[in-house]
Amino acid sequence: MTREDVYAKLEPIFRELFDQYDGPITDELTANDVEQWDSLGHVQLVVALEQECGVRCAPQEVTGLPDLGALVDLFAAKTQA
Amino acid sequence: MSRLEQHSTLAKLYALQLEVFPEHEDFLSRRIANSSDEHLVELEHLAQVIARIGEGKLETIARDYAWLTNEMLEEEYYFRRHGTYRLSTFEEAERTVYANAEFMQKYMNGVLFSHLWWGNHSRVIIHFHREFLSRIKQGAHHLEVGPGHGLLLYLAANSPRTGSVTGWDVSATSLRDTRHALEAMGVHKPVTLEAHNIVDAPSGKFDSLTFSEVLEHLEQPRDALKTLRSLLNDGGKIFVHAPVNSPAPDHIYLFREPEEIVEMVRDAGFAIDETVNFPGMDASLERARKLKLTISTIVVGTAI
């Protein structure tokens, strides 16, 4: 998948999970910008995206990512592998 | 944080928690920022109790809370991927958690601090203290099955409405922690602590009963509730608290909706007095149901 493909999968998931956030979904977005994006929310986001993209991530791969762009990069790379 | 200036014990535990677990700052600062002034007063009272229970080992407890959050995240991954809890039998939980004294101690410590930092947990404690204990019979002989860290049993023992207090637990670690909590808080009321499994509980008659965060640890929760009914006098009150969609290292029975707990309590021979739901992460109940988030469900019943 390209990054654009991943974003297409991610956006509806993101909007549903973090429904109090109505700003733009960009590479620079971090958990600090989205109140509902806490550690449990992050798990839900990752697993929902895994299911949409048909890949699986190890917890250490998705912990400590600096921003949303890094998560999109990770999924784009995994789906191309 | 300025909102904690008037809540010295809460401020102290907050600072300690962040010292050993700085990654939790976003979560904790939101937790405090989103709490009403009234809730902060309640949390300060809770913090004072927890600080006395944990006196001399508060840093360890704060570290164990950090450890617990990571354990919970691993369980959350499993739950989200598979739609079930990782364990399904008591034997598995016994082997991996209850028989592992070190794991069990860290777990109990972590859960103790979760009563401060997780809104659903603290609201359950506050509801128990303010509402349930104020409604039980004066001079009640009170039983708690599974007192764990001892917080609820302490509150019951400290209530002017209880005449005597008894705690039964299957875990020696839990009983030791409960005994320590009661001693630390200087409870003077008669308290009996005994090792019993609910499946072969001795006979007895009580006026009120606490059963908090136990149902989800059982293979046959319905049978357990029926046993508890037999331990209560007619008209006796039961406080059941169990979580919905709440993966944890030793949870084996998955409640997917609060109504499943209500129905189980009713079926065991109780008239339902009230049901209260506290979703985790301060979510609305509607959102918690939709996304299958954790909900702490309280069911208060009268034995009929």
Side-chain angles (χ1 to χ4, degrees):
Chain A
M1 284 182 182
T2 64
R3 297 184 88 256
E4 288 69 29
D5 294 333
V6 175
Y7 261 113
K9 301 277 189 191
L10 182 145
E11 179 148 359
I13 297 168
F14 199 95
R15 294 288 182 205
E16 180 175 38
L17 285 176
F18 310 135
D19 61 355
Q20 290 173 10
Y21 176 79
D22 56 6
I25 296 177
T26 65
D27 279 352
E28 293 74 29
L29 205 58
T30 72
N32 285 334
D33 305 316
V34 182
E35 177 147 344
Q36 294 164 306
W37 190 358
D38 51 32
S39 55
L40 287 180
H42 187 66
V43 173
Q44 291 153 16
L45 175 65
V46 166
V47 174
L49 196 53
E50 284 179 347
Q51 289 164 350
E52 280 295 314
C53 296
V55 295
R56 177 74 67 91
C57 300
Q60 56 268 28
E61 289 181 294
V62 291
T63 302
L65 294 174
D67 52 30
L68 192 64
L71 183 68
V72 172
D73 285 339
L74 176 69
F75 273 84
K78 277 192 169 285
T79 52
Q80 288 168 10
Chain B
M1 172 167 277
S2 61
R3 293 200 69 207
L4 294 182
E5 281 173 1
Q6 296 180 352
H7 308 292
S8 60
T9 308
L10 184 59
K12 176 185 157 192
L13 297 185
Y14 180 91
L16 175 63
Q17 189 64 74
L18 290 186
E19 187 181 321
V20 304
F21 191 19
E23 303 89 336
H24 216 39
E25 182 167 9
D26 284 348
F27 175 83
L28 281 192
S29 61
R30 284 172 186 165
R31 164 86 170 112
I32 299 301
N34 291 337
S35 294
S36 66
D37 290 344
E38 183 189 8
H39 189 56
L40 287 182
V41 171
E42 294 166 334
L43 285 183
E44 170 64 16
H45 177 247
L46 199 51
Q48 289 171 5
V49 174
I50 289 173
R52 283 184 66 183
I53 290 175
E55 195 170 351
K57 57 171 190 173
L58 286 173
E59 185 174 333
T60 299
I61 295 173
R63 290 188 190 285
D64 290 345
Y65 168 80
W67 166 86
L68 178 66
T69 64
N70 284 325
E71 292 290 317
M72 293 299 204
L73 283 183
E74 284 189 27
E75 300 298 334
E76 185 76 17
Y77 271 111
Y78 187 95
F79 177 65
R80 293 289 155 190
R81 284 173 174 152
H82 301 275
T84 62
Y85 293 161
R86 188 170 50 83
L87 305 186
S88 59
T89 69
F90 186 82
E91 188 276 332
E92 290 173 306
E94 168 77 14
R95 191 176 65 247
T96 58
V97 179
Y98 308 137
N100 183 338
E102 184 186 358
F103 189 102
M104 191 68 189
Q105 187 63 67
K106 289 169 78 169
Y107 194 21
M108 301 279 297
N109 284 344
V111 168
L112 185 62
F113 262 29
S114 79
H115 289 301
L116 270 185
W117 306 140
W118 299 354
N120 52 322
H121 277 195
S122 53
R123 287 183 173 88
V124 167
I125 301 284
I126 292 163
H127 191 87
F128 174 78
H129 187 209
R130 277 193 170 181
E131 306 296 332
F132 180 75
L133 286 178
S134 68
R135 290 184 216 152
I136 62 175
K137 174 183 165 183
Q138 187 64 46
H141 295 293
H142 180 80
L143 170 66
E144 178 166 359
V145 175
H149 43 61
L151 190 53
L152 292 175
L153 197 67
Y154 157 70
L155 293 172
N158 200 41
S159 165
R161 299 193 75 84
T162 56
S164 70
V165 174
T166 300
W168 293 347
D169 204 300
V170 70
S171 158
T173 304
S174 293
L175 285 172
R176 192 175 63 237
D177 273 18
T178 302
R179 187 170 290 110
H180 168 79
L182 297 174
E183 287 172 0
M185 298 306 296
V187 169
H188 300 298
K189 197 168 285 178
V191 176
T192 305
L193 295 178
E194 295 172 342
H196 293 302
N197 191 329
I198 188 66
V199 297
D200 52 18
S203 60
K205 283 295 179 187
F206 297 88
D207 303 305
S208 56
L209 201 157
T210 309
F211 200 49
S212 179
E213 298 193 274
V214 183
L215 277 182
E216 68 277 16
H217 299 262
L218 305 175
E219 288 181 33
Q220 304 292 341
R222 194 177 293 276
D223 293 346
L225 284 167
K226 288 178 177 168
T227 299
L228 297 185
R229 170 61 190 92
S230 72
L231 293 169
L232 274 171
N233 290 315
D234 289 350
K237 298 287 185 185
I238 191 167
F239 178 94
V240 176
H241 162 221
V244 172
N245 293 323
S246 176
D250 57 346
H251 289 184
I252 62 175
Y253 193 97
L254 172 57
F255 292 103
R256 296 180 187 276
E257 299 286 346
E259 289 71 22
E260 294 173 31
I261 303 168
V262 178
E263 184 275 327
M264 210 176 266
V265 174
R266 183 182 287 119
D267 187 53
F270 294 94
I272 305 301
D273 296 346
E274 69 168 345
T275 303
V276 185
N277 292 306
F278 294 118
M281 316 310 266
D282 291 329
S284 68
L285 184 58
E286 180 188 15
R287 179 176 149 78
R289 285 184 190 275
K290 179 180 166 192
L291 297 178
K292 298 181 172 40
L293 306 179
T294 295
I295 302 169
S296 291
T297 295
I298 294 170
V299 182
V300 175
T302 300
I304 53 175

